[in-house]
Amino acid sequence: MAPRKNTDGLARDAIVDRALALADAEGIDAVTIRRLGQEFGVTAMALYWHVKNKEDLLDAMGDDLWAGLTVPPADPQRPWHESLRLVVAQLVDALRRHPGSLSLAYRRVLVSPAGLDVTEYALGLLVGAGFDLRQAADLATSALQTAIMLVSSEPGAELGVPEEDHAAHLERKRAGLLQLPAERYPNVRGAAEFMLNCADPDGYYESGVALYVEGARAMLQLATV
Amino acid sequence: MAPRKNTDGLARDAIVDRALALADAEGIDAVTIRRLGQEFGVTAMALYWHVKNKEDLLDAMGDDLWAGLTVPPADPQRPWHESLRLVVAQLVDALRRHPGSLSLAYRRVLVSPAGLDVTEYALGLLVGAGFDLRQAADLATSALQTAIMLVSSEPGAELGVPEEDHAAHLERKRAGLLQLPAERYPNVRGAAEFMLNCADPDGYYESGVALYVEGARAMLQLATV
DNA sequence: ACCTGAACACCGTTCAAGT
DNA sequence: ACCTGAACACCGTTCAAGT
C-alpha cells in the first residue's frame, strides 16, 4: 500500500522488477538498497519512500514471483493426480522464471494472494482425492518444496554464484570428482557428469514432478488400505 | 589444512563449532566474522589466521554438518527401498541437528568426504535396484533435497526468524489466514493449524520420507515396464 | 509528494606492525 | 606462530532538511 503515483520518477513496481532482474543476473546478495538506488540514478535513501525497508522489498519480490503463476482451471473430468501434476509443473515454470529469488518463495506462499490461491487449489485437489486435511496440508507443502528444490538443484545451476564464475566453478567441482579413487567412488565418478550438468532440463523437471506425484498416489493407497 | 596447533587460544574447530551453534540459535545471518571474534574475546582480524575468509568458514560449517551423518552399513538382505528409507532418515536426522545451517548443506555434498560417502552409497543402492546412472543421479539429488526441504519446511520452524520473534511471527501468520473469506479459502482455513504448527514432528518426517521412497519405487516400475 | 546530505552502527578484508 | 590497529569499501537505516 505504499504510494506510487510518480510515473516518471521512481515507482514501487519498477523497483521490485529491477530487484528481481538483479537477483536473477547476479544473485540475491547483489540486491542492495544502495545498488538499486545507483541503478535508478538516485540516492539509496530515495528508495525508502517507496519501500518500507529491505524486508518489505524482499517480500514484494516474493509476491511478484507468485503472481507469475496461473492456476489451471479445475476440471472434474481429469484424474486428481493429473491435475496435481499440472499445478506442480506450473509452479516449476513460475519459479524457473526467477531462479535468483527462489529463496523468497517459501515464506510468502501463505501470504501472497496468488500463493494462497494455489494452496487452496492444491488442498482441494488432495482432499477430493481422499486425503484428510492434515495429510493434504503436508502434501501441499511438499508440492511447493518439491518445485523449489527441483529448480534450485537443477544440475549445473549453481545458484548464488555470479554468471561469470559459473564455468570455472563447475570445472573445479568436476576436477574434484574425477580425482576421487575409482575403487571407492565408482558410482559418483560415473554419475559425475549427470550431477554437474543438465543435458535435458525438460526431462529432468518432468521426472522430478513425476517422482512427487507417484509418491502421492502411493501414499493414498497406503492411507486408504 | 589451516594450522590449528594453538590449543588454549583460538582453534579452527572451535570457531566452526561456535559458528554452527550461533547459526542454530540466531540464524545464519548472525554468523559474522566480527561477532565470532567478539564471542572468543578477540578481534575480528584474529579469525583470519584460522580461516581463509568467510566463504571458507561457511564451507567448513557445511562439512561439519555432513560429518554428523552415519551411513548405515550395507545389508544385501534388506530390500533396496528399505535401505533408501534408512539413508534419507539418517540424512534428516543429521540436518535437524543444525537447522540454522541447512542452506550450507547442498553445496558441500559433492565436496565433503562424508557427503561423498552418502552419495556413493545412495547411488549404489539405486543402481543395484535397477535404475540407470542418470536416473540414479537425479534420484540421489532428490533424496538430499527431500531431506533438506523436510527440515526447512517443518511447520512452525520459521527458519531465519530469531527465536524470540518466533511466537509473534506465527501468530501474525495465523491471524492472516483466519481472516480469509471462508467461502473462497475453505481448505486453507481448515488446514491452517497443520501448516503453522507441527503437532507430531516424527510422524511428519516419517511420511515425508515415505513420500519420496514410494515415489522412487513407482518410478522404477515405470522405468522397467 | 518525493528526494538528498550527513550521520550511525554495522559488515568483510588487507596489511603493516606487534609479541 | 598468532594476534592487533588502522584503514578501506561496502551494508541498512534514520532524520532533518530541501524542492
Side-chain angles (χ1 to χ4, degrees):
Chain A
M1 305 305 167
R4 42 181 168 125
K5 297 210 182 136
N6 187 3
T7 46
D8 44 12
L10 283 186
R12 188 177 221 258
D13 292 356
I15 295 174
V16 177
D17 276 6
R18 194 74 155 236
L20 281 170
L22 190 51
D24 292 334
E26 305 183 27
I28 191 75
D29 286 346
V31 176
T32 263
I33 300 280
R34 294 181 117 104
R35 167 73 182 272
L36 280 172
Q38 213 171 299
E39 301 244 327
F40 283 103
V42 107
T43 67
M45 299 78 79
L47 294 200
Y48 283 92
W49 184 261
H50 306 277
V51 137
K52 195 161 160 270
N53 50 30
K54 188 162 184 187
E55 198 193 345
D56 182 36
L57 171 63
L58 295 177
D59 285 348
M61 290 169 69
D63 291 354
D64 260 33
L65 209 119
W66 283 109
L69 179 70
T70 47
V71 182
D75 177 357
Q77 302 297 338
R78 249 195 320 254
W80 69 272
H81 57 264
E82 178 58 19
S83 296
L84 186 61
R85 200 186 59 71
L86 282 174
V87 214
V88 183
Q90 278 287 336
L91 245 156
V92 166
D93 284 347
L95 295 175
R96 283 176 80 181
R97 258 172 251 137
H98 291 298
S101 303
L102 273 180
S103 55
L104 308 173
Y106 182 65
R107 66 175 185 198
R108 299 301 285 180
V109 212
L110 295 182
V111 182
S112 79
L116 285 167
D117 284 348
V118 219
T119 307
E120 179 65 30
Y121 179 81
L123 287 174
L125 223 54
L126 293 163
V127 168
F131 291 102
D132 66 39
L133 258 180
R134 192 170 64 81
Q135 294 167 325
D138 285 356
L139 281 174
T141 305
S142 290
L144 163 58
Q145 287 284 1
T146 296
I148 294 181
M149 97 183 181
L150 281 174
V151 178
S152 63
S153 66
E154 179 186 326
E158 300 295 326
L159 264 51
V161 179
E163 199 78 44
E164 40 184 291
D165 312 337
H166 223 108
H169 193 259
L170 274 182
E171 203 39 61
R172 222 157 20 96
K173 250 189 171 167
R174 189 189 324 264
L177 290 185
L178 293 184
Q179 81 181 33
L180 289 174
E183 328 81 64
R184 187 161 171 196
Y185 298 101
N187 294 304
V188 169
R189 286 174 57 104
E193 220 40 58
F194 300 125
M195 311 221 256
L196 292 175
N197 196 350
C198 196
D200 174 20
D202 287 340
Y204 163 81
Y205 285 110
E206 217 172 287
S207 71
V209 174
L211 173 66
Y212 166 78
V213 174
E214 293 305 319
R217 295 181 71 180
M219 294 303 278
L220 185 59
Q221 298 291 336
L222 294 176
T224 55
V225 161
Chain B
M1 304 306 169
R4 42 182 169 128
K5 297 213 182 134
N6 185 6
T7 47
D8 45 12
L10 283 186
R12 188 177 220 259
D13 293 356
I15 295 174
V16 177
D17 276 6
R18 194 72 154 240
L20 280 169
L22 190 53
D24 292 334
E26 305 184 25
I28 191 74
D29 286 345
V31 176
T32 263
I33 300 279
R34 294 180 117 104
R35 168 74 181 271
L36 280 172
Q38 214 172 299
E39 302 243 329
F40 283 104
V42 106
T43 66
M45 297 78 78
L47 294 201
Y48 282 91
W49 184 261
H50 305 277
V51 137
K52 193 159 161 272
N53 49 31
K54 188 162 184 188
E55 199 193 346
D56 182 37
L57 170 64
L58 294 177
D59 285 348
M61 292 170 67
D63 292 353
D64 259 34
L65 209 119
W66 283 110
L69 178 70
T70 47
V71 182
D75 177 357
Q77 301 297 336
R78 249 194 322 254
W80 69 273
H81 56 265
E82 178 58 18
S83 297
L84 185 62
R85 200 186 58 71
L86 284 174
V87 214
V88 182
Q90 279 287 336
L91 242 157
V92 166
D93 284 346
L95 295 175
R96 283 176 80 181
R97 259 172 249 137
H98 292 298
S101 304
L102 273 179
S103 55
L104 307 174
Y106 182 64
R107 66 173 184 197
R108 297 302 284 181
V109 213
L110 295 183
V111 182
S112 80
L116 285 167
D117 283 347
V118 221
T119 307
E120 179 65 29
Y121 178 80
L123 287 174
L125 223 54
L126 293 164
V127 168
F131 291 101
D132 66 40
L133 259 180
R134 191 170 65 81
Q135 294 168 325
D138 284 357
L139 281 174
T141 305
S142 290
L144 163 59
Q145 286 286 2
T146 296
I148 294 181
M149 99 185 178
L150 281 174
V151 178
S152 63
S153 67
E154 179 186 326
E158 299 296 329
L159 264 49
V161 179
E163 199 76 45
E164 41 184 293
D165 311 338
H166 222 108
H169 194 258
L170 274 181
E171 202 40 62
R172 219 155 24 94
K173 248 187 172 169
R174 188 188 327 265
L177 290 184
L178 293 184
Q179 81 180 32
L180 289 174
E183 330 79 65
R184 187 161 170 196
Y185 298 102
N187 294 304
V188 168
R189 285 174 58 102
E193 221 40 58
F194 301 125
M195 310 222 254
L196 292 176
N197 196 350
C198 194
D200 173 20
D202 287 339
Y204 163 80
Y205 285 109
E206 217 171 288
S207 70
V209 174
L211 173 67
Y212 166 77
V213 174
E214 293 305 318
R217 294 181 71 181
M219 294 303 280
L220 185 59
Q221 297 291 335
L222 294 177
T224 55
V225 160

